[in-house]
Amino acid sequence: MMQIYSINLGNVWFGLACAKQHIYATYFGENQQTVIRGLMRTLPFDAQFEVCTEPSEFARDALLVLQSVYVGQSQKSSLPLALEHLPAYTQQVLKATKQIPFGYLSSYGAIADAVGGGPRAVGNIMANNPFSPYVPCHRVVKSDFTLGGYSGGLKIKYQLLSREKCGFTGERFVDVDGGQLQVFPVEFTLKKVEKLFLP
DNA sequence: TGCAAACCATAAC
DNA sequence: GTTATGGTTTGCA
Protein backbone atom coordinates (compact mmCIF):
# COMPACT_ATOMS: atom_id res chain seq x y z
CA MET A 1 0.00 0.00 0.00
CA MET A 2 1.30 3.38 -1.03
CA GLN A 3 0.74 6.62 0.84
CA ILE A 4 0.22 9.99 -0.79
CA TYR A 5 1.03 13.12 1.17
CA SER A 6 0.76 16.77 0.28
CA ILE A 7 1.60 19.95 2.10
CA ASN A 8 1.53 23.68 1.47
CA LEU A 9 4.85 25.38 2.14
CA GLY A 10 5.39 29.03 1.29
CA ASN A 11 2.30 29.11 -0.90
CA VAL A 12 3.38 26.15 -3.02
CA TRP A 13 2.00 22.64 -2.76
CA PHE A 14 4.42 19.73 -2.60
CA GLY A 15 3.42 16.10 -2.89
CA LEU A 16 4.91 12.72 -2.29
CA ALA A 17 3.96 9.09 -2.98
CA CYS A 18 5.84 6.54 -0.93
CA ALA A 19 5.71 3.07 0.53
CA LYS A 20 7.97 1.64 3.21
CA GLN A 21 10.24 4.67 3.10
CA HIS A 22 10.75 4.34 -0.63
CA ILE A 23 9.69 7.25 -2.80
CA TYR A 24 7.77 6.46 -5.97
CA ALA A 25 6.85 9.96 -7.06
CA THR A 26 7.20 13.60 -6.07
CA TYR A 27 5.54 16.64 -7.50
CA PHE A 28 4.82 20.32 -6.90
CA GLY A 29 2.28 22.85 -8.13
CA GLU A 30 0.09 25.73 -7.21
CA ASN A 31 -2.79 23.76 -5.75
CA GLN A 32 -3.35 20.53 -3.93
CA GLN A 33 -5.52 18.89 -6.53
CA THR A 34 -2.97 19.38 -9.31
CA VAL A 35 -0.28 17.88 -7.13
CA ILE A 36 -2.23 14.79 -6.14
CA ARG A 37 -3.30 14.20 -9.71
CA GLY A 38 0.28 14.66 -10.88
CA LEU A 39 1.43 12.02 -8.45
CA MET A 40 -1.23 9.52 -9.39
CA ARG A 41 -0.43 9.91 -13.06
CA THR A 42 3.08 8.55 -12.56
CA LEU A 43 2.19 5.68 -10.26
CA PRO A 44 1.90 2.18 -11.70
CA PHE A 45 -1.61 1.75 -12.99
CA ASP A 46 -2.55 -0.97 -10.53
CA ALA A 47 -0.94 0.60 -7.47
CA GLN A 48 -3.04 0.70 -4.34
CA PHE A 49 -2.72 3.97 -2.46
CA GLU A 50 -4.29 6.08 0.26
CA VAL A 51 -4.33 9.85 0.46
CA CYS A 52 -3.17 10.92 3.92
CA THR A 53 -3.72 14.23 5.63
CA GLU A 54 -1.00 14.18 8.25
CA PRO A 55 2.51 13.55 6.90
CA SER A 56 4.60 10.94 8.65
CA GLU A 57 7.96 12.12 9.88
CA PHE A 58 9.64 10.48 6.91
CA ALA A 59 7.22 12.17 4.52
CA ARG A 60 7.58 15.55 6.13
CA ASP A 61 11.36 15.43 5.86
CA ALA A 62 11.13 14.48 2.21
CA LEU A 63 8.62 17.23 1.49
CA LEU A 64 10.96 19.73 3.08
CA VAL A 65 13.72 18.56 0.79
CA LEU A 66 11.46 19.21 -2.18
CA GLN A 67 10.82 22.69 -0.93
CA SER A 68 14.50 23.36 -0.52
CA VAL A 69 15.05 22.43 -4.15
CA TYR A 70 12.20 24.68 -5.15
CA VAL A 71 13.52 27.71 -3.32
CA GLY A 72 17.00 27.19 -4.73
CA GLN A 73 19.08 25.76 -1.94
CA SER A 74 21.94 23.51 -2.82
CA GLN A 75 21.18 19.93 -1.92
CA LYS A 76 22.88 17.89 0.76
CA SER A 77 20.32 15.25 1.72
CA SER A 78 19.44 12.53 -0.74
CA LEU A 79 16.06 10.85 -0.92
CA PRO A 80 15.54 7.08 -1.31
CA LEU A 81 13.99 6.92 -4.76
CA ALA A 82 12.34 3.74 -6.01
CA LEU A 83 13.58 3.28 -9.57
CA GLU A 84 13.49 -0.48 -10.05
CA HIS A 85 10.09 -0.57 -11.67
CA LEU A 86 11.17 1.90 -14.36
CA PRO A 87 12.79 0.87 -17.69
CA ALA A 88 16.59 0.63 -17.48
CA TYR A 89 17.24 3.50 -19.85
CA THR A 90 14.83 5.73 -17.96
CA GLN A 91 16.72 4.99 -14.76
CA GLN A 92 20.01 5.92 -16.39
CA VAL A 93 18.69 9.24 -17.66
CA LEU A 94 17.13 10.13 -14.32
CA LYS A 95 20.33 9.29 -12.48
CA ALA A 96 22.42 11.35 -14.87
CA THR A 97 20.05 14.29 -14.50
CA LYS A 98 20.37 13.98 -10.76
CA GLN A 99 24.13 14.43 -11.15
CA ILE A 100 23.85 17.89 -12.67
CA PRO A 101 25.41 20.05 -9.96
CA PHE A 102 23.65 22.99 -8.36
CA GLY A 103 24.41 26.12 -10.37
CA TYR A 104 24.85 24.18 -13.60
CA LEU A 105 22.60 22.87 -16.33
CA SER A 106 22.91 20.49 -19.23
CA SER A 107 21.13 19.78 -22.50
CA TYR A 108 18.98 16.94 -23.81
CA GLY A 109 21.67 16.16 -26.35
CA ALA A 110 24.49 16.22 -23.82
CA ILE A 111 22.67 13.72 -21.64
CA ALA A 112 22.11 11.52 -24.68
CA ASP A 113 25.82 11.71 -25.44
CA ALA A 114 26.67 10.68 -21.90
CA VAL A 115 24.32 7.74 -21.41
CA GLY A 116 23.50 6.76 -25.00
CA GLY A 117 20.24 7.07 -26.89
CA GLY A 118 18.99 10.24 -28.54
CA PRO A 119 17.93 13.72 -27.44
CA ARG A 120 14.26 13.15 -28.06
CA ALA A 121 14.22 10.06 -25.93
CA VAL A 122 15.78 12.11 -23.14
CA GLY A 123 13.16 14.80 -23.63
CA ASN A 124 10.45 12.21 -23.31
CA ILE A 125 11.81 11.05 -19.99
CA MET A 126 12.09 14.61 -18.69
CA ALA A 127 8.49 15.20 -19.68
CA ASN A 128 7.43 12.27 -17.54
CA ASN A 129 9.90 12.84 -14.71
CA PRO A 130 8.32 11.10 -11.69
CA PHE A 131 10.50 13.02 -9.24
CA SER A 132 9.95 16.66 -10.01
CA PRO A 133 11.60 18.88 -8.86
CA TYR A 134 13.95 16.61 -6.92
CA VAL A 135 15.43 15.12 -10.08
CA PRO A 136 16.20 18.52 -11.53
CA CYS A 137 14.73 18.29 -15.00
CA HIS A 138 14.53 22.08 -14.90
CA ARG A 139 18.31 21.99 -15.34
CA VAL A 140 17.98 20.43 -18.78
CA VAL A 141 17.61 22.85 -21.69
CA LYS A 142 18.05 22.86 -25.45
CA SER A 143 21.48 22.80 -27.00
CA ASP A 144 21.20 26.49 -27.96
CA PHE A 145 20.55 27.28 -24.28
CA THR A 146 16.95 28.31 -24.78
CA LEU A 147 14.66 26.70 -22.26
CA GLY A 148 13.02 23.87 -24.15
CA GLY A 149 9.89 22.77 -22.35
CA TYR A 150 8.64 22.27 -18.83
CA SER A 151 5.54 20.57 -17.57
CA GLY A 152 5.02 23.18 -14.87
CA GLY A 153 5.38 26.02 -17.38
CA LEU A 154 8.44 27.78 -18.74
CA LYS A 155 8.15 30.66 -16.32
CA ILE A 156 8.59 28.26 -13.41
CA LYS A 157 11.56 26.67 -15.14
CA TYR A 158 13.14 30.09 -15.54
CA GLN A 159 12.48 31.02 -11.93
CA LEU A 160 13.96 27.79 -10.62
CA LEU A 161 17.11 28.34 -12.64
CA SER A 162 17.43 31.97 -11.68
CA ARG A 163 17.49 31.00 -8.01
CA GLU A 164 20.42 28.68 -8.67
CA LYS A 165 22.86 31.28 -9.93
CA CYS A 166 26.28 30.64 -8.44
CA GLY A 167 28.47 32.83 -10.59
CA PHE A 168 30.17 29.95 -12.38
CA THR A 169 31.66 30.97 -15.68
CA GLY A 170 32.78 27.86 -17.52
CA GLU A 171 31.51 24.50 -18.66
CA ARG A 172 32.78 21.26 -17.20
CA PHE A 173 32.17 17.53 -17.15
CA VAL A 174 30.76 15.40 -14.36
CA ASP A 175 30.93 11.62 -14.06
CA VAL A 176 27.67 9.81 -14.58
CA ASP A 177 26.74 6.19 -14.83
CA GLY A 178 27.96 5.28 -18.30
CA GLY A 179 30.10 8.27 -19.25
CA GLN A 180 30.77 11.92 -18.75
CA LEU A 181 28.14 14.59 -18.83
CA GLN A 182 28.88 18.09 -20.02
CA VAL A 183 27.33 20.83 -17.89
CA PHE A 184 27.23 24.61 -18.17
CA PRO A 185 26.59 27.47 -15.75
CA VAL A 186 22.90 28.31 -15.42
CA GLU A 187 23.84 31.85 -16.37
CA PHE A 188 24.24 30.71 -19.99
CA THR A 189 20.52 30.14 -20.26
CA LEU A 190 19.46 33.00 -17.98
CA LYS A 191 21.28 35.54 -20.09
CA LYS A 192 19.85 34.10 -23.25
CA VAL A 193 16.20 34.17 -22.20
CA GLU A 194 15.95 36.84 -19.51
CA LYS A 195 14.42 39.39 -21.83
CA LEU A 196 11.46 37.06 -22.30
CA PHE A 197 10.70 36.87 -18.60
CA LEU A 198 11.74 40.15 -17.05
CA PRO A 199 8.95 42.73 -16.84
C1' DT B 1 16.18 32.88 -38.68
C1' DG B 2 13.15 29.24 -40.39
C1' DC B 3 12.10 24.69 -42.04
C1' DA B 4 12.72 19.67 -42.97
C1' DA B 5 14.45 15.50 -42.05
C1' DA B 6 16.81 12.27 -38.90
C1' DC B 7 16.59 10.50 -34.24
C1' DC B 8 15.31 6.98 -30.33
C1' DA B 9 13.15 4.93 -26.17
C1' DT B 10 8.34 4.23 -24.62
C1' DA B 11 3.62 3.49 -24.41
C1' DA B 12 -0.33 2.34 -26.59
C1' DC B 13 -2.71 -0.48 -30.11
C1' DG C 1 5.06 -6.45 -34.09
C1' DT C 2 3.78 -1.77 -35.49
C1' DT C 3 2.79 2.93 -34.90
C1' DA C 4 2.55 7.42 -32.76
C1' DT C 5 4.67 10.65 -29.84
C1' DG C 6 7.56 14.08 -28.12
C1' DG C 7 10.42 19.22 -23.07
C1' DT C 8 15.54 17.66 -29.74
C1' DT C 9 19.25 18.35 -33.06
C1' DT C 10 21.46 19.30 -37.17
C1' DG C 11 22.03 20.96 -41.68
C1' DC C 12 20.87 23.83 -45.37
C1' DA C 13 18.62 27.79 -47.84
Side-chain angles (χ1 to χ4, degrees):
Chain A
M1 172 68 86
M2 192 136 18
Q3 286 85 271
I4 288 185
Y5 300 99
S6 59
I7 191 176
N8 188 318
L9 299 168
N11 216 24
V12 179
W13 283 91
F14 297 90
L16 170 76
C18 61
K20 296 180 187 161
Q21 312 234 334
H22 283 277
I23 296 176
Y24 285 83
T26 65
Y27 206 72
F28 74 100
E30 56 186 29
N31 65 63
Q32 188 174 28
Q33 189 188 9
T34 316
V35 167
I36 292 181
R37 276 222 298 263
L39 290 172
M40 293 186 349
R41 190 158 33 92
T42 66
L43 296 182
F45 183 67
D46 57 350
Q48 300 290 317
F49 57 83
E50 54 185 341
V51 178
C52 308
T53 49
E54 269 307 296
S56 65
E57 191 177 340
F58 169 78
R60 184 177 174 76
D61 288 345
L63 289 165
L64 286 171
V65 171
L66 296 186
Q67 188 204 18
S68 74
V69 174
Y70 177 82
V71 300
Q73 289 171 359
S74 112
Q75 218 43 41
K76 28 185 193 276
S77 41
S78 74
L79 300 180
L81 303 184
L83 297 171
E84 317 78 53
H85 63 292
L86 299 171
Y89 181 73
T90 302
Q91 296 186 32
Q92 264 196 292
V93 170
L94 292 177
K95 284 183 198 164
T97 304
K98 182 79 180 49
Q99 299 302 312
I100 302 173
F102 188 88
Y104 289 91
L105 49 72
S106 190
S107 75
Y108 304 99
I111 293 179
D113 285 343
V115 305
R120 305 201 68 167
V122 173
N124 263 331
I125 292 167
M126 294 298 112
N128 298 311
N129 176 18
F131 305 109
S132 165
Y134 178 68
V135 169
C137 55
H138 60 278
R139 294 185 195 144
V140 185
V141 300
K142 289 218 231 180
S143 59
D144 63 359
F145 294 112
T146 57
L147 281 176
Y150 196 66
S151 310
L154 290 182
K155 186 170 182 179
I156 301 288
K157 185 167 183 175
Y158 174 82
Q159 289 171 346
L160 288 171
L161 289 174
S162 58
R163 292 187 204 113
E164 299 189 356
K165 277 189 287 193
C166 286
F168 299 131
T169 56
E171 59 185 86
R172 69 185 180 97
F173 285 86
V174 298
D175 291 321
V176 300
D177 181 35
Q180 290 215 307
L181 174 63
Q182 189 172 25
V183 298
F184 309 84
V186 294
E187 281 85 348
F188 282 25
T189 283
L190 295 177
K191 285 200 179 77
K192 183 122 189 175
V193 301
E194 65 186 352
K195 54 183 175 300
L196 303 176
F197 293 93
L198 294 179

